[in-house]
Amino acid sequence: MKKIVIIGGVAGGASCAARLRRLDNDVEIILFERGPYISYANCGLPYHVGNVIKTRDALLLQTPEAMHDKFNVDVRVNSEVTSIDRQNKTVSIRETAGKEYTETYDTLVISTGSSPLRPPIPGIDSNRIKTLWTVPDTDTIKDMVKREEVKTAAVIGGGFIGLEMAENLHEAGLEVSIIEMLPQVMAPVDFEMSQLLHENISQNGVKLHLNDGVSSFEDTGLSVNISLNSGTIVKADMVILAIGVRPNSKLAKDAGLELNQRGGIVSSNKLLTSDPNIYAIGDVIEVDDFVFGDKTMIPLAGPANKQGRIAADLIAGLEDSYEGTLGTSVAKVFDLTAAATGANEKTLIRRGLEKGKDYEAITIIQNSHAGYYPGALPLTLKVLFCPKTDKIFGAQIIGRDGVDKRIDTIATTIRLGGKVSDLCRLELAYAPPYSSAKDPVNMAGFVAENLKNGLVKFANWNDLDESHDGVTVLDVREKSEVMAVSISYAVNIPLNTLRSRLDELDKTKPIIVFCAVGVRAYNAYRILVQNGFENVKVYPGGMRFYVSTHYTEFEDDLDEEPSPRDDTGDLRSPDDNKDPIEAIRLDCSGLQCPGPLMKVFERIGELNDGEVMEVHASDPGFLTDIKAWCRRTGNTLISTETKSDEYIALLRKGLDKTKPVKNNKDANIIQSQNDGKTLIVFSGDLDKVLASFIIANGAAAMGRPVTMFFTFWGLNALRKEQKQKVDKTFIESMFGAMLPRGSKKLKLSQMNMGGMGTAMMKKIMKDKNINSLESLIATAMAQGVKIVACTMSMDVMGIKKEELIDGVELGGVGAYLGDAEESNINLFI
Ligand code: FAD
């Protein structure tokens, strides 16, 4: 009887044994496994640590006895194969109990998997530093977690196992840090996509140390001090090492089988090693990269299981072959799901491919299902393709719902040789609870097609990071959305007013247009290019993607608010002595950004000061938006709450005067206890205007609300540089021509000397790194200094609203006096 020996009894090995028995009842099958269990759910281990998978037995998919009874496989656990003698076709075995013997084979299958790396970092041998790979590892970690003194954990490595462990240890009640040497977690996705994960991990209260490797561990007896390359020391009661794997190929190496540089067993598409009697499958082998055809190593359960089946087919004499691995993967990372297939952009760049020529990338945000059906949640999709051949190189998706089926659709398309244009044509199942008539995958195809056909151009996600000088950043969202979160230097022209306000934009300057998620920006793009604007790009994914990819800049907006409910579930009064508060309920479920904010904006106008509103939304961005919106509109956010897919905010109309000013940037709106500063800028002299902005910025930096009231000659500082097309009388036009147009045209009050003095002053300021007036104005606006142009003076001097720089409010003396009353300093300059 032909004898098949399989080494390794989990994913690949167990699949191979079961399939082989189904195909051939007459062969003898012996399965050696060095551990105590076979065919267990290693992918489920992290979830048992977090008690999400409650029963340990649920992880054990097959016992040796059941495998024997069901499949007539001779399963020998606790039996390590220590060597292979290819000449005599035997393997040597050492049992855990100590017994040693040899066994012959006709055909050998190696499915020895991989093992977690444990590099020789000083102190790594501490008993508090664990890896998770087997059921016994899980038992050890679970026992540690249960111990009272273990309250903190550090996970080294931000790959999928590290992240799953971080999430589950957090779930188990530990305070968790993640330490990752690279600038990002989850290497299969590109950096900007990983920022969505970083944002969510931080929101879950897990401390992320990125770009920082471990230099040493020190076990202090009670915990471990982890020293990072940056000098930071992280203290943790337990440490999980999840920094990668190495193939278990020592057996193969010692037997003289061919290995690659990374120690992976070289095998053909028939899964044969350099020995025709030995197959190798799973994590231990190198495979063809399905996208580019070269060799790679991808340790995943799907490929291992399929290779087990194919090896069985081939042993049983069937035709089959393994055609490569795409690396399709999916992982739950706290509230998000991250998935990828094929190559990412980092790989394309590493391979020397050039964006715009050899590859293109599109990033879109789409709902998981029809927006009007409750529970629709945004998905961010990135697709990489070749603009010449339409070949799809890869895709990445991050979202809360429906990520897996979209990545599988794209993976299937790639696997079947489909092109990016095929994504438009895929006919995908649709009903409102599941998808949209144009599924996100179809939408990715449409956008890719538009890009290829020159109907749209995209900016890079980081195009605004270095400098936006000379670029008009155009925000086409509604005012209420801008109040919630904005880019300080962006010009706001809502899409529905864009056609009538095109003359406010400079055709000679490049424009980057954005909205909330990208759809309105695309419409704006089309309007602009059809009106002669040549250099326009859409910011991909809009403000939502900008906030996530730059989340550290918006962290103030992400602060945790207290729970709104008391122990009985009633809405808690902010003053503990009072009865629970009554709130007016506003249901915004099913509305997508900016819907909930607009609805809040409308409804709050009908409330009296002090009344409380409880807003329910399904848009996950809502809580971030409403926090900032309240701060910027002078309303009070009492608390926020997340209940599975429902986001609830409790807010009171008007300000809570007992709370201190929280954010300088918003200080103009948050009124405080009369510690505001008001400045009347009457002069149009450069030095005086400079002085007023320096004072204003200083006060704003101290968290004081600042109002600058520009009147008469001071208004010149606020004029736009370019002449604006506005209706004026003859005298108004004459007056306008005589007055300096904008901050750059202002002159010194003394020593102007025909402009020489002013030029000298500007040079000295530059040399000494003193901010120019223009940057002082921008900083003031970014800090939330309220800049008001006096409407009466504008009238007298014939200055029109359109001539003033963006961000200036118009107001009369009443507006100024209102702010002056709440100030303790009032300057006239
Ligand atoms: P394994 O399944 O690891 O089996 C190899 C077996 O060989 C081991 O049991 C080992 O004890 C045994 N062995 C090794 N040497 C010898 C020897 N000399 N003698 C006898 N026995 C030996 N993949 C995914 O696709 N999705 C996931 O969500 C996912 N989650 C994971 C979570 C965790 C915690 C872990 C550890 C892995 C996860 N993986 C996941 C990876 C996946 O489990 C592996 O890719 C897959 O199990 C590889 O299959 P394999 O047969 O090559 O090796």
Side-chain angles (χ1 to χ4, degrees), residues 325-345:
T325 302
L326 259 177
T328 308
S329 63
V330 64
K332 181 176 174 313
V333 185
F334 292 87
D335 306 314
L336 296 176
T337 301
T341 187
N344 56 32
E345 194 168 0

Side-chain angles (χ1 to χ4, degrees), residues 59 64 104 125-126 174 194 245 264 272 287 326 329-330 332 364 414 518 626-627 648-649 721 769 778 820:
L59 299 168
T104 57
D125 294 331
S126 159
L174 269 61
S194 73
V245 296
L272 274 175
V287 289
L326 259 177
S329 63
V330 64
K332 181 176 174 313
I364 58 167
I414 301 177
I626 196 71
K627 284 176 196 177
I648 305 163
E721 244 183 280
N769 272 336

Side-chain angles (χ1 to χ4, degrees), residues 8 10-12 33-34 42-43 81 111-113 133 160 282-283 299-301 304:
V10 187
E33 167 54 53
R34 67 178 170 197
N42 37 14
C43 307
V81 175
S111 185
T112 45
W133 212 251
F160 70 90
D283 287 3
L300 285 173

Side-chain angles (χ1 to χ4, degrees), residues 462-572:
N462 54 357
D463 271 356
L464 302 175
D465 293 0
E466 297 279 294
S467 159
H468 49 87
D469 280 355
V471 178
T472 304
V473 180
L474 175 63
D475 180 351
V476 292
R477 295 173 305 154
E478 297 299 315
K479 248 218 141 47
S480 54
E481 300 171 79
V482 179
M483 278 179 201
V485 59
S486 59
I487 297 178
S488 60
Y489 47 81
V491 179
N492 178 224
I493 304 180
L495 178 66
N496 50 13
T497 63
L498 182 61
R499 282 191 175 84
S500 60
R501 293 177 61 185
L502 288 173
D503 55 354
E504 292 175 32
L505 296 167
D506 183 348
K507 276 195 174 147
T508 62
K509 274 169 104 184
I511 296 178
I512 295 182
V513 55
F514 73 92
C515 60
V517 294
V519 181
R520 282 172 288 171
Y522 172 57
N523 287 317
Y525 175 98
R526 297 300 310 154
I527 293 172
L528 290 169
V529 294
Q530 291 178 75
N531 279 282
F533 289 81
E534 285 173 2
N535 196 349
V536 188
K537 287 180 180 167
V538 171
Y539 186 84
M543 195 65 206
R544 175 166 269 159
F545 197 54
Y546 184 88
V547 170
S548 292
T549 51
H550 298 77
Y551 74 100
T552 48
E553 293 169 23
F554 295 86
E555 263 170 349
D556 276 343
D557 298 345
L558 306 175
D559 284 351
E560 288 251 331
E561 301 292 331
S563 162
R565 290 178 201 277
D566 59 22
D567 297 341
T568 63
D570 280 335
L571 288 170
R572 185 196 296 279

Side-chain angles (χ1 to χ4, degrees), residues 224-242:
V224 182
N225 286 341
I226 309 158
S227 301
L228 307 187
N229 293 335
S230 63
T232 307
I233 296 185
V234 179
K235 197 170 158 191
D237 301 330
M238 73 182 292
V239 178
I240 303 292
L241 267 189

Side-chain angles (χ1 to χ4, degrees), residues 239-294:
V239 178
I240 303 292
L241 267 189
I243 53 176
V245 296
R246 59 168 172 72
N248 291 331
S249 56
K250 186 170 180 305
L251 261 185
K253 186 178 175 208
D254 293 347
L257 294 177
E258 193 187 342
L259 303 188
N260 69 9
Q261 276 190 335
R262 290 162 68 187
I265 302 177
V266 173
S267 64
S268 65
N269 68 349
K270 297 286 175 197
L271 299 171
L272 274 175
T273 64
S274 48
D275 181 324
N277 297 308
I278 306 180
Y279 290 84
I281 55 177
D283 287 3
V284 75
I285 64 165
E286 74 168 18
V287 289
D288 288 342
D289 170 348
F290 189 83
V291 177
F292 290 108
D294 42 16

Side-chain angles (χ1 to χ4, degrees), residues 571-607:
L571 288 170
R572 185 196 296 279
S573 161
D575 173 351
D576 281 342
N577 299 323
K578 288 195 188 151
D579 292 335
I581 38 180
E582 301 245 323
I584 293 146
R585 191 185 152 105
L586 181 68
D587 192 356
C588 302
S589 310
L591 292 181
Q592 294 307 301
C593 174
L597 272 189
M598 312 264 285
K599 217 168 157 185
V600 170
F601 189 56
E602 276 166 26
R603 189 77 175 89
I604 207 149
E606 298 160 13
L607 265 55

Side-chain angles (χ1 to χ4, degrees), residues 771-789:
N771 283 339
S772 65
L773 177 55
E774 293 69 48
S775 75
L776 285 170
I777 295 174
T779 310
M781 286 185 168
Q783 290 209 84
V785 170
K786 188 154 123 191
I787 298 179
V788 184

